Amino acid sequence: MVIKTYSFKLMKSRRFDRLYDRIETACDVYNHCIALHNRFYRLFGKYLQKNALQKHMARLLRRSKKKLRKLEGSNYEERPLFVRPESPDAVLDEASSTETVPAPRKKKRKTSKNKESANKQSIEPKKKKARRRRGRLERLRSIVKWGIVGSQARQNIVDRIHNGYVAFFDNLKERKAGLTKRRVSKPTFKSRRKYKSFTLKVNTKKIKDADGTSTGSERESVGWELLPRNGLLIGIDKYRFRKSREIHGEARTLTVKRDRLGDI
């Protein structure tokens, strides 16, 4: 079997921003996997297996969707989060309008020190709660956003990291044995500006008879499809590409790649 790679350029479209967003979200997934690898090695001194990481990513996305659905189902988002005011008196006025503050038991003599201490005691817990809520929402939304990349693309990211670590460990063995002097570094973090692509694959489904015996298999593209007249469907967005040559054979993968000029 011969594997060929065809490279085509997409025509300019206003929907390029969605592809840019997918590439940057794929970068977030990549960096999260690298952080998990580093943390797992610090804790247990072992390599994080590929299958375990793929299962963890799927579970994490499901749990985050449920938690975010619970938060958005309540009136949590309708409540205004804490915004840093110009003066601490504005925080006290805002807190008194939303919550009932009990009156103090004993009236102390009003001095500048007592005022500052009372303001600090009332402002700090509200700031901490608002920061926790805001941080929790941002984390959940950033994880739920991984869904726009697609499950196949997330699995491909884990596969590429796994292949990078395999090449790193093989290079260590070869250098210890004195077979080579070439150095291969392990996968590291990448910035969004330098992250270039994500890959969509195909699913293989088994064809079964009425008796349940498998007669063969068929491949089906997931998240993308080649359309007639130089059309390409990625998710729900349609694009057109400059077809400089005919495509022979069956398309197995689709890689969306961005260059330094922003072309795809």
Side-chain angles (χ1 to χ4, degrees):
M1 184 178 65
V2 179
I3 299 176
K4 277 190 176 183
T5 302
Y6 294 94
S7 177
F8 302 104
K9 187 176 181 180
L10 289 184
M11 296 182 184
K12 285 287 185 180
S13 173
R14 290 178 294 178
R15 292 182 289 274
F16 271 13
D17 292 339
R18 301 182 184 179
L19 293 179
Y20 296 157
D21 195 20
R22 284 192 177 197
I23 292 173
E24 292 175 356
T25 306
C27 179
D28 296 339
V29 177
Y30 178 88
N31 289 331
H32 182 80
C33 294
I34 294 295
L36 286 179
H37 271 284
N38 296 341
R39 188 185 306 168
F40 193 85
Y41 185 79
R42 282 199 307 268
L43 292 175
F44 305 105
K46 296 180 181 179
Y47 168 72
L48 181 57
Q49 296 297 325
K50 180 180 71 172
N51 295 334
L53 182 56
Q54 288 179 347
K55 291 179 182 178
H56 168 75
M57 299 291 287
R59 286 197 301 265
L60 181 62
L61 187 59
R62 285 198 302 267
R63 288 200 304 264
S64 301
K65 284 182 179 179
K66 288 181 181 179
K67 291 179 181 178
L68 189 62
R69 196 180 296 119
K70 287 182 181 179
L71 291 177
E72 290 183 344
S74 62
N75 297 326
Y76 179 74
E77 282 193 345
E78 296 179 0
R79 303 176 200 163
L81 295 177
F82 180 80
V83 180
R84 181 169 294 175
E86 298 179 358
S87 63
D89 296 333
V91 179
L92 298 176
D93 295 338
E94 186 180 355
S96 61
S97 61
T98 55
E99 299 178 0
T100 57
V101 181
R105 294 180 181 178
K106 293 182 181 181
K107 292 184 178 180
K108 295 183 179 180
R109 188 179 177 182
K110 292 183 179 180
T111 59
S112 59
K113 292 183 179 180
N114 292 338
K115 284 184 180 180
E116 290 177 1
S117 61
N119 289 339
K120 286 182 181 179
Q121 290 176 2
S122 58
I123 291 171
E124 287 180 359
K126 289 179 174 40
K127 279 186 178 181
K128 289 180 181 179
K129 287 182 181 179
R131 284 173 184 169
R132 286 197 207 102
R133 291 175 180 176
R134 197 183 305 120
R136 188 181 181 190
L137 268 179
E138 288 177 357
R139 284 194 300 271
L140 289 176
R141 285 171 181 163
S142 63
I143 294 174
V144 171
K145 195 179 178 183
W146 295 354
I148 67 173
V149 181
S151 60
Q152 299 287 343
R154 293 195 300 270
Q155 291 177 7
N156 180 262
I157 290 170
V158 177
D159 290 340
R160 287 193 290 111
I161 293 174
H162 172 72
N163 295 335
Y165 272 103
V166 169
F168 171 68
F169 292 135
D170 291 343
N171 180 256
L172 283 180
K173 292 179 182 178
E174 291 177 358
R175 279 194 292 147
K176 286 182 179 179
L179 300 176
T180 182
K181 293 183 179 180
R182 184 173 62 95
R183 283 179 171 269
V184 176
S185 62
K186 63 179 182 180
T188 56
F189 295 102
K190 289 185 179 180
S191 64
R192 287 187 169 191
R193 183 175 57 86
K194 293 183 179 180
Y195 202 84
K196 296 180 180 179
S197 64
F198 66 92
T199 302
L200 300 172
K201 301 188 292 185
V202 295
N203 271 346
T204 304
K205 293 183 178 181
K206 292 183 179 180
I207 303 174
K208 294 183 180 181
D209 292 339
D211 301 336
T213 58
S214 61
T215 58
S217 62
E218 62 177 359
R219 292 183 175 87
E220 182 182 27
S221 60
V222 179
W224 64 280
E225 186 179 356
L226 289 174
L227 303 177
R229 299 182 61 184
N230 304 352
L232 177 64
L233 181 68
I234 302 176
I236 59 174
D237 300 326
K238 293 181 180 179
Y239 303 91
R240 295 190 67 188
F241 60 93
R242 304 183 186 277
K243 194 172 182 180
S244 56
R245 75 202 84 171
E246 290 295 329
I247 301 175
H248 300 286
E250 183 183 5
R252 296 289 184 90
T253 61
L254 173 70
T255 300
V256 180
K257 191 172 183 180
R258 174 181 61 180
D259 60 7
R260 294 186 177 182
L261 297 177
D263 297 331
I264 294 178

